[in-house]
Short mmCIF file of all heavy atoms in Angstrom, two decimals:
data_model
loop_
_atom_site.label_atom_id
_atom_site.label_comp_id
_atom_site.label_asym_id
_atom_site.label_seq_id
_atom_site.Cartn_x
_atom_site.Cartn_y
_atom_site.Cartn_z
N LEU A 505 -54.42 77.86 124.99
CA LEU A 505 -54.53 76.96 126.12
C LEU A 505 -54.63 75.51 125.67
O LEU A 505 -54.09 74.61 126.32
CB LEU A 505 -55.74 77.33 126.99
CG LEU A 505 -55.88 76.59 128.31
CD1 LEU A 505 -54.63 76.78 129.17
CD2 LEU A 505 -57.10 77.10 129.06
N GLU A 541 -50.82 73.04 114.80
CA GLU A 541 -50.51 73.10 116.23
C GLU A 541 -50.35 71.68 116.78
O GLU A 541 -49.50 71.42 117.61
CB GLU A 541 -51.58 73.87 116.99
CG GLU A 541 -51.56 75.36 116.73
CD GLU A 541 -52.65 76.11 117.46
OE1 GLU A 541 -53.75 75.53 117.66
OE2 GLU A 541 -52.40 77.25 117.85
N PRO A 563 -50.12 66.55 99.57
CA PRO A 563 -51.36 67.15 99.08
C PRO A 563 -52.58 66.43 99.66
O PRO A 563 -52.50 65.28 100.08
CB PRO A 563 -51.31 66.92 97.56
CG PRO A 563 -50.02 66.26 97.26
CD PRO A 563 -49.37 65.88 98.53
N LEU A 573 -49.66 57.55 99.21
CA LEU A 573 -48.67 58.54 99.65
C LEU A 573 -47.79 58.93 98.48
O LEU A 573 -47.52 58.11 97.59
CB LEU A 573 -47.77 57.94 100.74
CG LEU A 573 -48.33 57.80 102.14
CD1 LEU A 573 -47.33 57.07 103.03
CD2 LEU A 573 -48.66 59.17 102.73
N PRO A 574 -47.31 60.17 98.46
CA PRO A 574 -46.33 60.54 97.43
C PRO A 574 -45.09 59.63 97.54
O PRO A 574 -44.70 59.22 98.64
CB PRO A 574 -45.97 61.99 97.78
CG PRO A 574 -47.16 62.49 98.54
CD PRO A 574 -47.66 61.31 99.31
N GLU A 582 -38.88 54.21 104.50
CA GLU A 582 -37.99 53.06 104.52
C GLU A 582 -36.83 53.24 105.50
O GLU A 582 -36.26 52.26 105.97
CB GLU A 582 -37.47 52.79 103.11
CG GLU A 582 -38.57 52.32 102.18
CD GLU A 582 -38.12 52.19 100.73
OE1 GLU A 582 -36.91 52.34 100.44
OE2 GLU A 582 -39.00 51.96 99.88
N ALA A 584 -37.24 55.26 108.35
CA ALA A 584 -37.83 55.76 109.60
C ALA A 584 -38.04 54.62 110.59
O ALA A 584 -38.14 53.45 110.21
CB ALA A 584 -39.15 56.45 109.30
N SER A 614 -46.15 52.59 114.21
CA SER A 614 -47.06 53.55 113.59
C SER A 614 -48.20 53.90 114.50
O SER A 614 -48.65 53.07 115.29
CB SER A 614 -47.59 52.95 112.28
OG SER A 614 -48.49 53.83 111.67
N ARG A 620 -57.93 63.94 112.72
CA ARG A 620 -57.98 64.47 114.09
C ARG A 620 -57.50 65.92 114.11
O ARG A 620 -56.82 66.37 113.21
CB ARG A 620 -57.10 63.65 115.03
CG ARG A 620 -57.33 62.17 115.03
CD ARG A 620 -58.56 61.79 115.84
NE ARG A 620 -58.64 60.37 116.09
CZ ARG A 620 -59.19 59.49 115.28
NH1 ARG A 620 -59.66 59.86 114.12
NH2 ARG A 620 -59.25 58.21 115.60
N ASN A 621 -57.83 66.60 115.20
CA ASN A 621 -57.30 67.94 115.43
C ASN A 621 -56.81 68.03 116.87
O ASN A 621 -56.89 67.06 117.62
CB ASN A 621 -58.33 69.03 115.09
CG ASN A 621 -59.57 68.93 115.94
OD1 ASN A 621 -59.53 68.53 117.09
ND2 ASN A 621 -60.70 69.32 115.37
N GLY A 628 -62.13 63.93 125.95
CA GLY A 628 -62.60 62.57 125.70
C GLY A 628 -61.60 61.51 126.09
O GLY A 628 -60.90 61.62 127.11
N GLY A 629 -61.52 60.47 125.28
CA GLY A 629 -60.69 59.31 125.57
C GLY A 629 -59.21 59.62 125.73
O GLY A 629 -58.49 58.88 126.40
#
Side-chain angles (χ1 to χ4, degrees):
L505 188 57
E541 289 179 327
L573 284 174
E582 293 173 7
S614 178
R620 308 282 192 273
N621 61 32

